[in-house]
Amino acid sequence: AEAYEKAFNINPNSFNLSYRLARAKWFAEDVDMAIQYYDHAKVVDPDGNDTLYYDLATAMKNQGKYEAAKAQYTEFLKRHKFDGYLTKQAKFEIEGIDAAIQIMGEPPKYRMITVPFNSTENDYSTTLWTVETDSFLVFTSHRPGTRGKKNYPWTGEPYSDVWVVSMDSDTTYGSPEVLGKKKINTKANDGAAYIDPE
């Protein structure tokens, strides 16, 4: 990307430099700048490369700009004469965008809340456990208090354990505790538990 930026500064009216700089920004995960350079390449030469429209659409979709992305995929399909992988993928992407727009227009089926027992460590793989009239959330966590005696070599975090917290209502919870002792949580890495009703 740096090399293309230097060359682009010397010759900003080159379609190839603009397009390649946009691609470099895309692969560097600088999507906003990728979109800017794709747009610039279109201004320099709208017929320079039909794949430009596909790439621009993909970057726009990544940013949640669905209507704009759909327009670019549609433009790509008008220009691209070869019925290959990209043509099929562009049609698939348009279907996905239409589905996303429809789903976004529907009322949400869930609401997201922050629960008071979240920790700053990794808390994940939650499952609901109901025993008669009592409900619990069972989850995996690396939080302090785990029984694991080792740390992950790549993160330095302690091994995980299975934890449980009582759930009185959607907004009222007890204090989280390590679930079980030797049979469930060991010195090893434990987690991602599922409750079998049997």
Side-chain angles (χ1 to χ4, degrees):
E2 265 183 48
Y4 281 126
E5 278 176 342
K6 287 177 184 174
F8 176 83
N9 289 334
I10 296 167
N11 186 7
N13 293 320
S14 166
F15 172 85
N16 285 332
L17 281 176
S18 303
Y19 179 69
R20 289 180 182 181
L21 178 53
R23 297 281 293 157
K25 290 293 185 181
W26 167 257
F27 285 114
E29 298 183 6
D30 188 351
V31 182
D32 287 333
M33 289 305 296
I35 289 171
Q36 285 186 34
Y37 287 114
Y38 283 135
D39 277 332
H40 182 78
K42 269 177 48 180
V43 170
V44 170
D45 184 358
D47 300 316
N49 180 341
D50 56 2
T51 311
L52 161 71
Y53 296 89
Y54 180 92
D55 294 334
L56 176 57
T58 302
M60 288 176 161
K61 180 177 166 251
N62 175 277
Q63 297 296 83
K65 300 172 181 174
Y66 295 125
E67 294 289 359
K70 183 177 177 179
Q72 296 305 316
Y73 281 127
T74 303
E75 185 63 26
F76 167 76
L77 290 172
K78 285 180 192 171
R79 293 169 174 269
H80 197 64
K81 303 305 179 195
F82 179 69
D83 188 21
Y85 170 77
L86 286 182
T87 300
K88 290 182 177 109
Q89 189 63 28
K91 290 175 182 175
F92 177 75
E93 296 290 350
I94 288 171
E95 288 176 16
I97 287 170
D98 288 340
I101 291 169
Q102 178 184 341
I103 290 168
M104 288 168 60
E106 296 173 359
K109 294 178 175 66
Y110 303 96
R111 62 186 172 88
M112 302 294 287
I113 61 168
T114 301
V115 290
F117 60 88
N118 275 353
S119 75
T120 57
E121 307 303 323
N122 288 327
D123 302 322
Y124 57 96
S125 293
T126 306
T127 188
L128 179 64
W129 178 26
T130 302
V131 180
E132 295 180 1
T133 58
D134 297 323
S135 293
F136 304 88
L137 292 177
V138 178
F139 62 98
T140 303
S141 181
H142 301 279
R143 64 181 56 212
T146 59
R147 296 173 49 85
K149 296 299 180 194
K150 291 186 179 179
N151 290 351
Y152 291 110
W154 55 89
T155 64
E157 293 178 326
Y159 277 175
S160 61
D161 273 343
V162 178
W163 291 72
V164 63
V165 62
S166 61
M167 188 174 105
D168 300 323
S169 71
D170 283 348
T171 56
T172 310
Y173 305 89
S175 297
E177 299 175 16
V178 174
L179 180 62
K181 299 216 175 175
K182 293 181 182 176
K183 288 186 180 177
I184 295 175
N185 286 311
T186 66
K187 294 178 181 179
N189 194 25
D190 305 305
Y194 293 90
I195 307 300
D196 184 343
E198 298 298 319

